[in-house]
Structure formats: C-alpha cells, structure tokens
Amino acid sequence: MTLTTPRTTALRAAALLATAVLTLTACGSGNPAGGSGAAGPAATEAKIPTTDVVSSVKKDPAAAELLPADIRARGSLSLATSVGTPPGATYLADGKTLAGQDIDFANAVGKVLGLRIDREVASFEAILPALGSGKYDLGTGNFGVTDERRRTIDFVTYINDGQGFAVRKDSPLKKVTSLKQLCGLTVATGAGTTFEATLEENQHLCKEAGKKPYDVKTYAEQGALWISLQQGRTDVVMSTINGLRYAVKQQPGLRFLNEFKRLDVGFAFKKGTPLAPAVRAAVGRLIKDGTYDRILKKWGTGASAIKTSRISPQEIH
C-alpha cells in the first residue's frame, strides 16, 4: 500500500501545474493550435472556468472610429500573449485552447472594435521587445505599468493587480512589509518580471542592515517555480497577487502571505502607438455594458476592477 502524505499531495499538485506550463513551452511562440495536448490533467485539476462571457459583445462604432486607418482596413489585430497559469492565461484540457482573464479581455476588445484577433503565444520576456520592433500590435501577459516600462512602452489599463508573496505553511514568515524580511532567504520569481527587477534593485537593503542578502532564483516556467518551493529549494515566491491566490488554492501545504505593492496592469503597445485611444475606448465600453464585471466574476478577480481605463498612467507608489 502506498502512503500519501500531505507533502506528497502538495508536490503532486505542483507537478500538475508544471505540466500545464511545460506544455505551453513546447508550443514556443507559434500558433496556440499547435499545442501538444499534454495539459489535460493539470487543466482538469485546476477546474478552469469555461463560461462564455464574450460572444454577446457587440461592435461599438464610436470606439472603432478611433482605429488607425491601416488597422481598420486590415480588419485584425496581431496580439502576442504570454501563457502561464490561471487566472491570467492557460490552456484547457485539450492542450490547444487558450483560456484566462487576458484571453477574454483581448477577445472582448476585438469584438468592440470589430476586429479579428490574430493571437500568437510568446514568452513573457520576449513580448515587450517584439512590440518595439513592430512585430505585434499589442501584447498581454499581466504587464504591470511601471515608470521604467513607460519610457519605452505604452499601456492601456484594464485591471489592477500587483506584487505579493506565498510560502509553505510551515514558514515562519507571516507578512512581508519590507524586503529586508527576506534577508538570508531564497526567493523564487518569474524571469523578466517586475518582481525580479524589484528584488534585484533592493538587494542592497540587506547589506546595509548588516544581514545576509537574499538569493533570487528566476524561473521561465511557473510550474518549476512552485515545485522549487514545495521541495524546499526556495523559501518564498514573489509573483502576481491574483496568480498567487489562485495557485495556493490548487496546492495543499501553501499559503498566500500578503499583498506587497499594487500595480495597474495593461495591454502593452509600441511607444507612441496611435492604437491606444481605440483600445481604451473599447475597455471603457466593456466597463459600461457589464462585460467587464462578468469577466472578473468568471475568474474570481473582482478585487482587481478599475473604474476607468487609462493610457500609460504613472506607476502606483
């Protein structure tokens, strides 16, 4: 007889999340329809909602009138999306169909503007540079609006998320209000994210306090990140508030610590894009007609609601 311990169950849950993320890695930056189909167990375990909240959205002529002439003539938007774990973006059980808050918002914006969404999956760290080169019209990936990013990227905000922490249930950490509390620990986070930047920029705090610096471990796949925490190779995870809350519900033995910093999140564009006003108008329409609230309710992220979409607002401090 095989004994199943809480730790074994937790590692199994983390491995299921890893399966979904590793599947998207195999797809690279190609068409999502080229998925391997191996995400079934993870997607089923995660009980990903599939309620249709987009198909009833109607075109808004006033918003569509704001589109640049070339995009209106083309009839489509080229969109790069980073796929990781719910509620942002993930694969359903078939390993091909994309689902998530980012997916629903982009599809709804396309319908308001009367445009087809030509979506391509790309790695998180590759999307912003690709926007600058003109490869895509816009990108999604829970991109936090920071002052540093605003120097080279334009944003149209659609939710408010931010930075937070999660640990194993046996961790002595109760709440992180200063990064100095992480001194001497190993922190896991996503590669190329605002979390990595925040951690690296503040490592000096430990030295100045006469403490051992924290060690930052970055992961391209969220599943590998969670396994590192479950196996004790890292002590704490820093990631998105919504993503952390979702992940700890799927994995026994973990707990969400606290929100650390709020950030606006937006569709990302090449700096100076003429497309931003139309997309902002589309998000505004979704807020007005109730689609916006339905999307948030579907993904359990009502606390991330914004009242008004804005173009490249200053970073929340």
Side-chain angles (χ1 to χ4, degrees):
M1 181 178 69
T2 302
L3 294 177
T4 301
T5 66
R7 186 170 182 80
T8 301
T9 303
L11 285 170
R12 189 173 297 158
L16 286 170
L17 282 178
T19 302
V21 181
L22 289 171
T23 298
L24 75 92
T25 305
C27 297
S29 59
N31 189 329
S36 67
T44 302
E45 179 77 13
K47 298 181 177 65
I48 297 168
T50 56
T51 307
D52 177 11
V53 291
V54 174
S55 64
S56 63
V57 175
K58 305 298 183 183
K59 179 179 178 179
D60 184 337
E65 185 63 29
L66 298 174
L67 287 167
D70 61 331
I71 291 180
R72 191 183 305 117
R74 188 203 311 162
S76 65
L77 287 173
S78 61
L79 181 145
T81 190
S82 171
V83 184
T85 55
T90 189
Y91 286 105
L92 293 183
D94 60 7
K96 300 177 182 180
T97 305
L98 287 170
Q101 183 172 257
D102 284 351
I103 307 304
D104 283 342
F105 273 122
N107 289 345
V109 164
K111 290 184 73 69
V112 172
L113 297 176
L115 298 175
R116 181 181 71 254
I117 299 295
D118 292 336
R119 182 180 281 107
E120 184 173 314
V121 174
S123 65
F124 178 90
E125 59 270 28
I127 292 177
L128 297 186
L131 292 172
S133 71
K135 184 176 181 180
Y136 308 107
D137 294 319
L138 70 164
T140 58
N142 209 82
F143 290 114
V145 181
T146 66
D147 290 338
E148 180 178 359
R149 282 177 173 168
R150 289 193 309 123
R151 287 196 281 268
T152 56
I153 295 292
D154 279 341
F155 295 92
V156 171
T157 60
Y158 60 97
I159 60 168
N160 177 271
D161 194 350
Q163 303 175 340
F165 295 96
V167 294
R168 294 183 302 278
K169 284 188 175 178
D170 61 1
S171 171
L173 283 173
K174 303 300 181 186
K175 185 176 182 179
V176 177
T177 57
S178 168
L179 294 182
K180 287 190 288 186
Q181 293 171 255
L182 303 179
C183 297
L185 301 179
T186 301
V187 187
T189 196
T193 61
T194 58
F195 319 111
E196 180 184 9
T198 296
L199 290 166
E200 290 182 347
E201 289 168 5
N202 289 280
Q203 278 185 315
H204 65 89
L205 295 175
C206 294
K207 183 177 180 181
E208 292 168 1
K211 299 180 179 181
K212 181 181 178 181
Y214 51 75
D215 184 25
V216 181
K217 298 290 187 184
T218 60
Y219 296 85
E221 293 103 20
Q222 289 291 306
L225 179 153
W226 288 111
I227 289 175
S228 77
L229 180 66
Q230 294 282 14
Q231 293 182 338
R233 289 183 281 112
T234 55
D235 302 300
V236 57
V237 169
M238 186 178 189
S239 190
T240 67
I241 295 167
N242 288 336
L244 290 173
R245 289 187 188 279
Y246 183 92
V248 299
K249 289 179 180 178
Q250 307 303 319
Q251 303 177 81
L254 299 183
R255 57 187 168 90
F256 176 75
L257 272 188
N258 62 287
E259 297 182 7
F260 183 70
K261 179 182 179 179
R262 277 279 173 177
L263 282 174
D264 287 317
V265 172
F267 294 100
F269 306 81
K270 181 179 181 179
K271 189 69 177 177
T273 177
L275 179 57
V279 173
R280 178 178 60 177
V283 175
R285 182 64 194 178
L286 296 173
I287 293 173
K288 184 176 181 180
D289 70 16
T291 302
Y292 183 84
D293 287 339
R294 287 192 289 274
I295 292 173
L296 294 183
K297 182 178 180 180
K298 173 182 177 179
W299 296 103
T301 53
S304 287
I306 59 173
K307 293 182 178 180
T308 305
S309 177
R310 297 185 292 168
I311 296 175
S312 299
Q314 289 187 338
E315 180 178 348
I316 297 174
H317 292 285

